Amino acid sequence: MKNQSGLLILLLCLAGCQPKPITPITSLINKVWKANTVKESEVLVFTLGATANIKPGYTNFRLDLSKPDQVILKDVDGRVTTGTWSVSTDNKRLLLDNLTPKPTNTNGLIEYYILAEPDGSTLSLERTAESRKTGNTVNQYALIPE
C-alpha cells in the first residue's frame, strides 16, 4: 500500500512537471528600431550620439517590425528593402524573408541571432552570415526603439 501511494504521488508530480511552452517574443519587438551601437567583426563602428563614428551612416539605420509580418529595413548605405519578418519557434533567430530588392548574396533572406532576451527597450542581434555591404563582416547590432 505504501509503494502504491508513493507511486501515485510520483506520477502526479511528473504530470505537473511539463515544460512550459515558449512565449513568442513578437509582441516585444514589433516596433521600429534604430542603432544604438554597431560592431562589424568585433570593431565598434557606430555609437548613437558620438561625433567620431567610423560609419556615421548607421544614424539612419532602421529595422521596422511594427507591422505583423511586414519588415522595412533601411541599411547603413540608406537603401531600403522590404519583405516579411518572423521569429524562429525557439525565439533565437529573427528572419527577414522575401526581401525586395534582394540584398547581395542573400536570396532574399537575412537571418539574425537574437543575442539576449528582448525586453521591449533593447534588441541585440547578430547577423548569421557575412554582410557584403560592410566588407563581408559579421555584424552585431544593439538596437533601441525609435
Side-chain angles (χ1 to χ4, degrees), residues 83-142:
T84 58
W85 71 276
S86 62
V87 175
S88 62
T89 56
D90 61 2
N91 285 339
K92 295 189 186 287
R93 288 177 298 125
L94 173 64
L95 309 148
L96 310 184
D97 204 0
N98 304 309
L99 296 172
T100 55
K102 290 181 183 178
T104 306
N105 296 339
T106 66
N107 292 321
L109 173 68
I110 296 176
E111 292 186 45
Y112 299 93
Y113 293 116
I114 301 171
L115 300 177
E117 189 169 328
D119 61 7
S121 64
T122 61
L123 180 59
S124 297
L125 303 174
E126 180 178 84
R127 286 271 308 246
T128 61
E130 296 173 338
S131 172
R132 181 90 183 247
K133 286 185 182 184
T134 60
N136 297 324
T137 59
V138 174
N139 304 329
Q140 292 182 359
Y141 305 85

Side-chain angles (χ1 to χ4, degrees), residues 48-61:
L48 185 64
T51 56
N53 284 310
I54 297 169
K55 297 265 183 106
Y58 280 111
T59 299
N60 298 316
F61 178 93

Side-chain angles (χ1 to χ4, degrees), residues 29 31-36 38 46 48-49 56-66 70-82 94 96 99 110 112 123 125 133 141-146:
I29 65 171
K31 53 187 75 175
V32 180
W33 299 93
K34 65 181 180 179
N36 190 37
V38 179
F46 177 81
L48 185 64
Y58 280 111
T59 299
N60 298 316
F61 178 93
R62 295 293 181 275
L63 178 59
D64 185 346
L65 307 174
S66 64
Q70 180 185 348
V71 64
I72 301 170
L73 173 64
K74 186 175 184 183
D75 215 337
V76 62
D77 61 359
R79 294 190 62 178
V80 175
T81 307
T82 61
L94 173 64
L96 310 184
L99 296 172
I110 296 176
Y112 299 93
L123 180 59
L125 303 174
K133 286 185 182 184
Y141 305 85
L143 306 176
I144 58 174
E146 184 176 56

